[in-house]
Amino acid sequence: APWTRNRRTGRPPGGRVKTAVAAWLRRGIGGYGVALGSVVLVFACRLALDPVLGDALPTLFAIVPVVVAAWWGGLGPALFAAGLSSVLALWFFIEPRHTLGVGHAAGWFALGGYLVSSFVICWFAERFRRTSRKAEAHAAHASAQQAVLMAEMEARKGVEEALSASERRLRA
């Protein structure tokens, strides 16, 4: 509603701090919620496929929550998804089951490959987010500079017109 916004800036009342806190909560809590939800969904899918897959491919879908959390919430939620998925895979799908230990080399390779892949995804996602933020900041700065230059051009145009008018009066 228009009466709930600042007339000068058009923003909701509370200014930048309130907006920044709201964005942080939306990004932070939302990111971790998405990470948790995607881990639970993928875990349920892998658990449903457990009679078919058995001990094979214990981290089959576990990379999906890492990608989703990295895209949605950034580094923290992606690392949370990777950690939670690895603990669930260790407990439920890697032999010996229902322990946090690994009994054979195949389990170590599955877990190690999953963790390396997860960390690479987290690293690339964080680099992408940082680069995007820098690009947005540079674009905002360029836009502000353009506005300054346009105002300066308009001011110079007015001065040139005034100078031309003055020259015409002197010649007449």
Side-chain angles (χ1 to χ4, degrees), residues 36-56:
L36 180 63
S38 60
V39 167
V40 168
L41 181 66
V42 165
F43 171 72
C45 290
R46 177 59 177 87
L47 196 60
L49 290 173
D50 195 48
V52 176
L53 295 175
D55 294 340

Side-chain angles (χ1 to χ4, degrees), residues 20-171:
V21 169
W24 178 80
L25 286 173
R26 186 173 50 250
R27 186 176 61 249
I29 292 173
Y32 286 99
V34 166
L36 180 63
S38 60
V39 167
V40 168
L41 181 66
V42 165
F43 171 72
C45 290
R46 177 59 177 87
L47 196 60
L49 290 173
D50 195 48
V52 176
L53 295 175
D55 294 340
L57 305 170
T59 58
L60 177 62
F61 304 118
I63 206 75
V64 173
V66 176
V67 172
V68 170
W71 175 74
W72 186 269
L75 182 62
L79 291 173
F80 171 71
L84 183 58
S85 292
S86 63
V87 168
L88 289 173
L90 269 172
W91 188 262
F92 287 99
F93 307 121
I94 295 177
E95 288 294 328
R97 290 182 181 217
H98 306 295
T99 66
L100 292 179
V102 179
H104 49 80
W108 283 110
F109 280 113
L111 186 62
Y114 167 72
L115 288 174
V116 167
S117 300
S118 295
F119 291 134
V120 167
I121 289 169
C122 290
W123 183 76
F124 275 116
E126 185 61 21
R127 294 283 303 193
F128 176 75
R129 290 175 79 82
R130 286 182 183 178
T131 304
S132 294
R133 282 193 294 266
K134 282 183 184 178
E136 289 170 1
H138 288 302
H141 179 71
S143 179
Q145 288 296 101
Q146 181 182 13
V148 168
L149 291 173
M150 294 299 286
E152 188 175 322
M153 285 175 45
E154 289 298 320
R156 285 184 182 198
K157 195 181 290 184
V159 169
E160 287 175 2
E161 289 173 1
L163 185 59
S164 293
S166 176
E167 286 178 356
R168 283 192 301 270
R169 279 194 308 259
L170 284 174
R171 288 186 186 153

